[in-house]
Amino acid sequence: MSVNLFKIKNSIDGQLVEPVSGKYLDNIEPATGQVYSLVPDSDGQDVEQAVAAASKAFAGWSKTAAVERSKILCRIADLIEKDADRLAKTECIDNGKPLSLARSLDIPRAAANFRFFGTAILHSHSETHVTDNLALNYTLRQPRGVVGLISPWNLPLYLITWKVAPAIAVGNTAIAKPSELTPMTA
C-alpha cells in the first residue's frame, strides 16, 4: 500500500513550488525512524530562481520605510506566537527534542528574534566622525542586497529566524536554506 506523504515545497517569489528537478529526499522522524514527509532535493536551478526573485523583491523592500518593515516583522512574531503549540509539536516530531523544550525555548525565541530586530531598526542610525579636523568619516546603515542564509538542524526555527529577521529588518532580501534534516518549521 502506497502512502501519500506531505511534500514540503520551496517558497520562491511568494509561491510554494516543486523543485525544478522534481526530486525529493525522505524526512525521517527521529523518534520512530519512519519517513513522515518529503523535502525538496533542490539544485542550482532552484537557487537561481530564488536569487532572481529575491533580487526583484529587493528593489521595493529596500525602500520600504523602517516603520513598515518593523510592523511586518512584529506581525510575523505575533503569528509565530499564535501558532506556538502547533510549531512546537512540529519541531518535536521533526527534531526529536522534548516538546517541553520546543515550547519553552525554540518557539518563543523564534518570535522574540523577529520582535527584537523588528523594533531595533526603529532605533538605528548612520554615524559621522571628524578625524583630526581633516576629514569626515561616515558609516551608512543601509540595505546591501540579497543574502544567503544556511541554518543547522539542532534549533531549526529558532536559528533560521536569528538569521532571517536581522537580514530583512534592515531592508535586505534573503534566501534561506534550512537543514534538510529538520525543515518543517522553517
Side-chain angles (χ1 to χ4, degrees):
M1 180 169 91
S2 170
V3 176
N4 288 330
L5 296 172
F6 176 76
K7 284 185 178 178
I8 299 171
K9 295 182 179 178
N10 291 323
S11 177
I12 299 175
D13 202 17
Q15 303 294 317
L16 294 176
V17 297
E18 302 270 341
V20 173
S21 69
K23 296 179 184 176
Y24 285 84
L25 305 170
D26 291 342
N27 189 17
I28 298 170
E29 181 179 352
T32 65
Q34 300 298 309
V35 175
Y36 80 101
S37 67
L38 300 173
V39 182
D41 187 7
S42 300
D43 62 19
Q45 293 178 80
D46 298 292
V47 174
E48 288 175 15
Q49 287 180 356
V51 170
S55 297
K56 184 175 97 179
F58 178 74
W61 182 247
S62 63
K63 291 175 179 54
T64 301
V67 70
E68 290 305 313
R69 292 193 315 266
S70 174
K71 287 178 188 176
I72 291 167
L73 270 71
C74 289
R75 177 70 177 134
I76 293 170
D78 292 343
L79 292 170
I80 291 170
E81 289 168 345
K82 179 182 173 203
D83 230 358
D85 284 340
R86 187 173 67 84
L87 288 167
K89 288 174 188 169
T90 302
E91 199 85 323
C92 177
I93 291 167
D94 205 31
N95 189 284
K97 67 176 55 186
L99 182 58
S100 61
L101 184 60
R103 279 188 176 140
S104 66
L105 174 70
D106 298 39
I107 307 310
R109 186 58 198 184
N113 285 339
F114 274 102
R115 200 168 313 287
F116 174 84
F117 290 105
T119 57
I121 59 171
L122 298 175
H123 309 286
S124 67
H125 59 279
S126 297
E127 301 171 22
T128 58
H129 306 277
V130 176
T131 306
D132 298 329
N133 292 322
L134 299 173
L136 185 65
N137 294 322
Y138 58 93
T139 303
L140 297 177
R141 310 255 190 253
Q142 60 190 24
R144 302 292 299 164
V146 177
V147 296
L149 310 168
I150 299 173
S151 191
W153 64 270
N154 56 334
L155 295 161
L157 184 60
Y158 171 13
L159 292 181
I160 206 159
T161 64
W162 206 357
K163 295 175 180 196
V164 170
I168 66 174
V170 299
N172 295 308
T173 53
I175 299 167
K177 191 260 180 221
S179 170
E180 65 280 3
L181 301 176
T182 53
M184 291 300 278
T185 54

